[in-house]
Amino acid sequence: MERVLVFGLDSAPPELLFSEFIDELPAIRKLIENAVYGPMKSCIPAITIPAWMVMATGKTPGELGLYGFRHRKAGSYTDMWIANSRKIAEPAIWDYLAMEGKKSVLVGVPPTYPPRKVNGWLISCFITPDASVDYTYPAELKNEVEGLVGEYIFDVVFRKDDRDEVKEKIWEMTEKRFEVARYLIQEKDWDYFQIVEIGLDRIHHAFWKYFDREHHLYEEGSKYRNVIRDYYRLLDREIGKTLELLDDDVAVAVVSDHGVKRMKGAFAINQWLIEEGFLKIRNPEVLEKGRAVKFEELDVDWGRTTAWAWGGYYSRIFLNVEGREKNGTVGKFEYERVRDELADQLRSIRGPNGEKWDTKVFYPEDIYPVALGDRPDMMVYFDDLYWRAAGTLGHGTNYLAENDTGPDDAVHSEYGVFMLSHPELDSRRVNCSIYDFAPTILKIYGIDVEMRGERVI
């Protein structure tokens, strides 16, 4: 093994890639014949950003200071910043390789926008606004990309009712991305190559209710029932065509940042915080209008508020702390007591039919060696992530049948996939962690860096 090519499939779960669909995926199946492979536990939170950069650096989200896509500016009730490449201070696999003079090609690895200098070539990821901006390193690579496939596609709008358009755009995006990858494989002199395809995540979110018979919104006989299966076949064809270009010295990895499972619904966390007395507002009449109300529409009485929350696949909850927030109410010496009491109440929330939930509450300082940047006070997985958090209010119930920010049928699960294939390897199943990826890949190049993860080969 002298070089490594990584296929990153955002949100691929082991139960589909390695089991349910494997007989229809000849390229993946062939890779498994000489692979160390198995489920790979993601980081907390199991979210695209920061998970891909956790994988690349071996650092925790706390060490990276990345807890998701958006972050609250410290001490602010309303200001936020969006994760981007400039926030990454820790060296990634390709940085260690560059120190050895080795070159990398990176396509779509989150978060790599704005494009930063690498020892090689880079096309930025799904957070890129559109193809009108500079999205490559070096800048002239953009001309090569667009000369090959025309306008490059970074992502698609997937939370929309026109599923035909969603499907068509995802297919186009994926085919273009793999065509560009194959061009770069052949035209560039590389030692490490990583492509991340966001399309699988989008397919899961947009089409899961047509695929999963246990989904509460399952549609029997839908024309979309095979879209997810067909997309896995597309990925396998694209991977197969790409593998034909590789020499025998190339090890091939297939990995995902997290898994996926059906969404049971969304829980209106801020509405619940009001009911429980943690969040106080001066304009309760806004919640009586029969529509979803954004948090920004509330006239929050910050001088009487203890906590507020953000929605998403997991919820971030912030305490209103004296000396930290402008109108903080939680004193320094009561912080732990208040947080523990709120955490206990969150864990005791039951489902819409009184069923017990497996809700997990995480304190950043408990799960990371350090928690840098603008961290939340706690992170919540409602019912083991089966229920996403709705940040909006004004709903007739705290339990929403659908996502409050647009159609979305799936949520994240904690286990993605890991596979490292090479003719020298015997097929062997492993259970590994997302922290194992970086030290394992660096070992192939003979680079020994002290990291928390284990080398799985």
Side-chain angles (χ1 to χ4, degrees):
M1 290 183 274
E2 297 180 8
R3 298 188 293 167
V4 179
L5 185 146
V6 180
F7 293 107
L9 307 180
D10 197 290
S11 113
E15 55 271 24
L16 294 188
L17 194 72
F18 294 150
S19 297
E20 183 162 346
F21 292 157
I22 190 61
D23 290 337
E24 302 170 62
L25 309 175
I28 299 290
R29 193 174 61 228
K30 185 170 178 56
L31 286 172
I32 288 177
E33 292 174 1
N34 294 95
V36 176
Y37 72 102
M40 182 165 75
K41 189 172 185 178
S42 187
C43 57
I44 301 171
I47 302 293
T48 296
I49 296 174
W52 284 108
M53 208 47 66
V54 167
M55 202 184 307
T57 64
K59 299 295 183 181
T60 65
E63 292 166 296
L64 295 172
L66 285 180
Y67 306 96
F69 182 68
R70 56 186 176 141
H71 297 75
R72 181 179 76 113
K73 290 185 178 178
S76 172
Y77 295 119
T78 56
D79 294 341
M80 68 177 72
W81 56 272
I82 301 298
N84 63 76
S85 65
R86 295 191 179 111
K87 296 294 183 180
I88 309 300
E90 296 289 342
I93 289 170
W94 45 88
D95 296 314
Y96 290 112
L97 294 176
M99 296 176 199
E100 302 291 327
K102 296 186 183 298
K103 294 182 178 179
S104 299
V105 176
L106 307 173
V107 179
V109 182
T112 49
Y113 179 81
R116 293 171 59 175
K117 181 179 180 180
V118 296
N119 188 32
W121 300 265
L122 180 150
I123 300 173
S124 59
C125 67
F126 77 102
I127 64 171
T128 308
D130 57 51
S132 68
V133 302
D134 292 332
Y135 60 84
T136 65
Y137 179 86
E140 46 274 26
L141 176 60
K142 179 178 179 179
N143 294 331
E144 293 182 64
V145 171
E146 295 181 357
L148 186 69
V149 298
E151 183 174 334
Y152 191 75
I153 303 174
F154 300 93
D155 198 2
V156 299
V157 178
F158 64 96
R159 291 192 179 110
K160 59 192 300 184
D161 291 325
D162 188 345
R163 299 294 209 278
D164 288 330
E165 183 177 333
V166 174
K167 177 176 180 287
E168 179 182 342
K169 294 300 290 185
I170 291 176
W171 250 253
E172 181 184 0
M173 173 178 69
T174 299
E175 290 170 345
K176 282 188 173 183
R177 191 157 8 253
F178 273 89
E179 185 175 351
V180 168
R182 285 191 287 272
Y183 166 81
L184 296 173
I185 285 172
Q186 297 175 93
E187 296 298 323
K188 307 303 180 187
D189 177 22
W190 55 272
D191 299 285
Y192 179 79
F193 195 113
Q194 182 170 356
I195 171 177
V196 174
E197 176 51 62
I198 196 72
L200 184 60
D201 182 83
R202 294 354 188 181
I203 282 286
H204 286 153
H205 286 300
F207 294 95
W208 196 267
K209 73 177 180 182
Y210 308 107
F211 160 75
D212 185 349
R213 290 180 175 274
E214 294 187 49
H215 197 287
H216 67 290
L217 299 176
Y218 177 71
E219 293 186 14
E220 183 74 41
S222 168
K223 69 175 183 178
Y224 301 120
R225 63 186 179 280
N226 289 322
V227 169
I228 288 179
R229 182 183 300 271
D230 290 343
Y231 186 76
Y232 275 82
R233 290 170 173 162
L234 169 69
L235 284 177
D236 190 77
R237 286 197 300 274
E238 296 292 344
I239 289 172
K241 289 163 63 177
T242 307
L243 294 176
E244 292 174 2
L245 304 176
L246 303 183
D247 298 328
D248 291 339
D249 67 340
V250 180
V252 176
V254 178
V255 291
S256 61
D257 53 336
H258 56 76
V260 65
K261 55 188 177 184
R262 70 185 182 280
M263 187 185 82
K264 292 184 177 179
F267 183 72
I269 177 62
N270 278 314
Q271 198 164 287
W272 179 86
L273 286 171
I274 289 176
E275 291 175 359
E276 298 300 319
F278 292 99
L279 174 58
K280 302 289 187 181
I281 62 173
R282 299 189 185 93
N283 59 337
E285 66 280 0
V286 73
L287 304 180
E288 306 298 327
K289 295 183 177 180
R291 62 175 177 83
V293 173
K294 294 181 180 178
F295 188 83
E296 294 76 14
E297 297 179 65
L298 301 179
D299 182 6
V300 178
D301 186 351
W302 290 110
R304 297 173 58 229
T305 285
T306 301
W308 77 103
W310 281 4
Y313 294 115
Y314 78 104
S315 184
R316 277 176 270 190
I317 295 183
F318 307 97
L319 297 190
N320 193 23
V321 180
E322 283 183 1
R324 193 183 72 179
E325 275 77 32
K326 182 179 179 182
N327 298 301
T329 61
V330 180
K332 177 180 178 182
F333 296 107
E334 61 179 350
Y335 175 87
E336 294 296 343
R337 176 186 60 79
V338 172
R339 186 167 64 159
D340 288 346
E341 289 177 357
L342 175 54
D344 285 343
Q345 287 189 238
L346 288 163
R347 293 189 195 96
S348 70
I349 293 173
R350 289 181 175 264
N353 300 310
E355 70 274 22
K356 189 175 181 180
W357 274 4
D358 179 19
T359 294
K360 298 180 174 68
V361 179
F362 304 101
Y363 298 165
E365 71 273 19
D366 287 349
I367 56 174
Y368 309 132
V370 293
L372 303 175
D374 301 322
R375 65 179 192 172
D377 291 292
M378 62 180 89
M379 299 179 285
V380 185
Y381 286 3
F382 286 111
D383 196 20
D384 195 23
L385 289 169
Y386 273 112
W387 285 75
R388 62 172 289 138
T392 57
L393 309 88
H395 308 287
T397 170
N398 290 340
Y399 305 94
L400 316 183
E402 299 196 63
N403 178 25
D404 63 336
T405 59
D408 192 343
D409 306 335
V411 289
H412 293 184
S413 62
E414 286 194 271
Y415 283 88
V417 300
F418 172 87
M419 175 176 19
L420 182 63
S421 178
H422 188 272
E424 294 177 358
L425 294 173
D426 294 326
S427 182
R428 175 169 62 91
R429 285 192 70 103
V430 294
N431 293 307
C432 62
S433 156
I434 195 168
Y435 298 105
D436 299 339
F437 180 77
T440 298
I441 297 301
L442 289 174
K443 180 184 177 183
I444 293 173
Y445 295 95
I447 299 173
D448 186 13
V449 180
E450 187 68 27
M451 291 181 169
R452 72 181 54 254
E454 303 288 334
R455 301 166 183 85
V456 300
I457 60 169

